[in-house]
Amino acid sequence: LFPYTTLFRSSKSVITSQLNRSFGVKLGGFINVVTALFLLLILLNLIGLIPYVFGATTHLAVRFSLGLPLWLSLIISGAIFNPSSAAASLLPGGAPAALNPFLVLVETVRLCVRPITLSIRLVANMRAGHIVLGLIGTYLRSGFFIYPTAAIALLIFVQTFYFMFEIGVALIQAYIFSLLVTLYSDDHPH
């Protein structure tokens, strides 16, 4: 039980320091939700690195189903909490009156595209790493029959190094996903 509480506390301190720089700290319980999301994404990303295991976070539907509800809850909560401020955020200050309808449309599209871009960005990064790992592994397997022992040792070193690199990428992608969800909380009217 001790390692799990230490893991949760250290993850929560990372997320808390992240949220303290945004307005999400004023949303009650938001720290716990983002911390749970962060830990879930770390777990799913690392499980996806195990050979012959389904990497759930490399699929757009999984990432989209994680990002959309959080983004939507921030939008709906902001519209309920302070509807005039939520509507005013669709129009940048100091804009010419003739451009107001166009600017509201552009801001609405920008707001609605956020969960899609969040999901695509992270899926592309994770999937690219998995493809490179697979290519190195395929090259290594075929190299056992073609290359001398020194080349095989080099390929094993490259495979090991890249796998450790992918572990770092998995951790960073979980952090980026939770960071972007936190940054989306800045648009929440307070």
Side-chain angles (χ1 to χ4, degrees), residues 108-131:
T108 303
V109 169
R110 180 190 66 86
L111 190 65
C112 291
V113 169
R114 279 183 165 179
I116 298 167
T117 58
L118 171 69
S119 301
I120 290 173
R121 176 186 305 125
L122 298 173
V123 165
N125 288 332
M126 292 301 295
R127 189 165 290 171
H130 286 52
I131 290 170

Side-chain angles (χ1 to χ4, degrees), residues 27-101:
L27 302 174
F30 192 63
I31 291 175
N32 293 332
V33 170
V34 176
T35 302
L37 174 71
F38 180 57
L39 289 172
L40 175 69
L41 288 174
I42 287 175
L43 178 69
L44 291 176
N45 287 346
L46 292 177
I47 285 174
L49 290 175
I50 298 171
Y52 305 110
V53 173
F54 175 70
T57 55
T58 61
H59 292 278
L60 189 59
V62 173
R63 289 288 178 139
F64 192 68
S65 66
L66 289 172
L68 181 69
L70 289 171
W71 170 82
L72 196 58
S73 65
L74 287 170
I75 297 299
I76 292 172
S77 170
I80 291 172
F81 178 70
N82 194 347
S84 59
S85 179
S89 71
L90 295 176
L91 187 63
L99 291 178
N100 284 349

